Amino acid sequence: MSSERLAVIGGGVIGLSCAWRAAADGWTVTVVDPAPRSGASWVAGGMLAPVTEAWPGEEDLLALGVESVARWPAFAAAVAEAAGQPVGLRADGTVVAATGSGDRDELDALAAHLARLERSVESLTGRALRRLEPAIGPDVRAGLSVPDDLAVDNRMLLAALVTAAEKTGIEFDARSADGVATEAGRVTGVRCAEGPDIAADVVLVCAGAHSAALHPALTGLVRPVKGEILRLARRPGAFPAPRRTVRALVDGRPMYAVPRDGDGLVVGATQAEQGFDTTVTVGGVRDLLRDAERVLPGVAEYALLEVAAGLRPGSPDNLPVIGALGPDGLLVATGHHRNGILLSPITADAVAALLRDEPVPEPVRAADPARFTHGEESPGARVDQR
């Protein structure tokens, strides 16, 4: 595309990453969002975990995630340099813990699935896991070590991206976008709830769970998936937090605890298909605390700092939607579900390629929205059971 004005609808991690890359390539960029660095990006755990997120039948998503996590160190270094502040990347790796026999069987199945894909992980006894992470309790009987699954402090990352964007000359418009303005089959800008349209030659929709309302071509392609999280902090005298991300299955329920600098932990995450409801529930908090304490008993002495809920943008097949869609000049980068933080580098690279009329990275081809119009997947939600 030879045009120069780009409007990005959405100031979460995907929108900010793409906007920053485009501005570095010479585009005049406006980010349209009344509350940048909020929403699902703000309440995310920050796991960069394609291997431990792997699921049979989602090999395209695994390949996309593995390629993106490989790009993360360079991406983090570039954002940190542009912003002049750290992004909070953690390279300590991930362990996965299982409690009951059914949980151990599921981990064995995951390890076997990954081995078939030539992505082996190390199986460990509960005792071996505790040697790696002494915070793990005696209810854990077995697990996996996945050193290449990383993590990042999502809030440090968002702050750095905003600073990098501002230093690159990106303008932020605090109005709410009502939709994509078009004329004669071509994008002309962004319609806003108040005031005039924002003129643009290209519009990139990165509005997460709210993307589907912005253009008819996105109808049915993105839906909200609610997730609740907790933020904890170690109190004096309490057992130290783990260094690695700890994922776990507790009687079939998934749980994760992602460390933060200063002995903090983010614990999550529930998952529910409840529309745009962001109410934190008593049951969700109870379940997360109960399961976290089963795996990491020391958290019983931690302070509970925050409870929050976010809306992940789910797609019909759990792959993101990245590419050209609808009228000339409309690009989309949404539907990342649980993987928005993980997939930020490769999504930004893909959007930069699209803006230059170049091929996207090979793993991104599976995320082309054309897969829906070509009948490969009907636009109906496939419920994710993880």
Side-chain angles (χ1 to χ4, degrees):
M1 297 177 180
S2 58
S3 305
E4 296 182 349
R5 296 174 301 172
L6 172 67
V8 178
I9 305 177
V13 67
I14 296 296
L16 290 171
S17 299
C18 294
W20 169 65
R21 282 295 310 278
D25 280 352
W27 286 74
T28 299
V29 182
T30 301
V31 173
V32 187
D33 194 323
R37 65 180 184 176
S38 62
S41 298
W42 182 252
V43 300
M47 291 180 295
L48 311 176
V51 173
T52 49
E53 285 276 347
W55 195 257
E58 294 186 353
E59 288 74 25
D60 287 338
L61 182 58
L62 174 60
L64 185 61
V66 167
E67 177 62 27
S68 194
V69 79
R71 297 175 186 227
W72 247 100
F75 174 75
V79 174
E81 182 179 4
Q85 62 194 76
V87 302
L89 180 64
R90 302 181 66 97
D92 299 289
T94 297
V95 295
V96 189
T99 53
S101 59
D103 300 326
R104 295 197 299 273
D105 291 343
E106 188 163 340
L107 281 197
D108 289 343
L110 172 60
H113 170 62
L114 291 169
R116 288 191 294 271
L117 299 174
E118 299 182 347
R119 302 188 187 279
S120 298
V121 296
E122 183 183 3
S123 295
L124 299 173
T125 64
R127 182 173 298 177
L129 269 181
R130 280 182 282 279
R131 283 197 294 269
L132 283 177
E133 290 294 349
I136 291 175
D139 279 0
V140 172
R141 306 300 178 84
L144 305 173
S145 173
V146 189
D148 293 332
D149 274 8
L150 312 180
V152 69
D153 186 320
N154 58 308
R155 296 183 179 180
M156 289 179 68
L157 170 65
L158 289 167
L161 280 169
V162 168
T163 302
E166 291 172 342
K167 288 185 174 183
T168 316
I170 291 173
E171 180 179 341
F172 286 82
D173 193 307
R175 291 179 292 167
S176 295
D178 270 356
V180 178
T182 60
E183 184 177 331
R186 165 132 201 113
V187 160
T188 59
V190 178
R191 296 195 312 271
C192 293
E194 297 179 355
D197 292 355
I198 299 168
D201 303 294
V202 179
V203 171
L204 173 65
V205 175
C206 300
H210 300 275
S211 298
L214 294 171
H215 193 275
L218 280 161
T219 302
L221 299 189
V222 185
R223 72 189 192 281
V225 182
K226 180 181 178 181
E228 295 161 295
I229 63 101
L230 315 175
R231 295 177 73 88
L232 314 180
R234 181 192 178 205
R235 298 167 59 239
F239 203 86
R243 285 192 306 112
R244 298 166 180 81
T245 297
V246 177
R247 302 180 65 118
L249 287 170
V250 183
D251 299 331
R253 295 181 300 273
M255 186 279 299
Y256 63 72
V258 188
R260 293 288 189 262
D261 292 347
D263 278 333
L265 279 177
V266 177
V267 175
T270 63
Q271 184 159 291
E273 304 265 352
Q274 297 177 345
F276 288 92
D277 172 35
T278 55
T279 305
V280 178
T281 65
V282 171
V285 174
R286 176 202 63 212
D287 291 349
L288 289 173
L289 288 174
R290 177 194 60 209
D291 293 345
E293 194 174 353
R294 283 275 302 278
V295 177
L296 303 167
V299 301
E301 299 300 322
Y302 281 42
L304 177 59
L305 300 183
E306 180 183 335
V307 295
L311 299 173
R312 308 177 187 95
S315 76
D317 57 4
N318 293 328
L319 274 169
V321 184
I322 304 170
L325 182 69
D328 190 20
L330 176 61
L331 299 179
V332 296
T334 186
H336 291 74
H337 203 203
R338 297 179 312 277
N339 297 303
I341 305 288
L342 165 64
L343 297 178
S344 297
I346 199 166
T347 301
D349 288 346
V351 169
L354 289 165
L355 291 171
R356 295 192 298 262
D357 276 334
E358 296 176 0
V360 298
E362 177 64 28
V364 181
R365 294 177 61 185
D368 193 322
R371 69 190 189 272
F372 299 113
T373 58
H374 293 167
E376 296 178 16
E377 179 84 26
S378 61
R382 188 177 83 192
V383 177
D384 190 331
Q385 298 294 334
R386 278 168 285 182

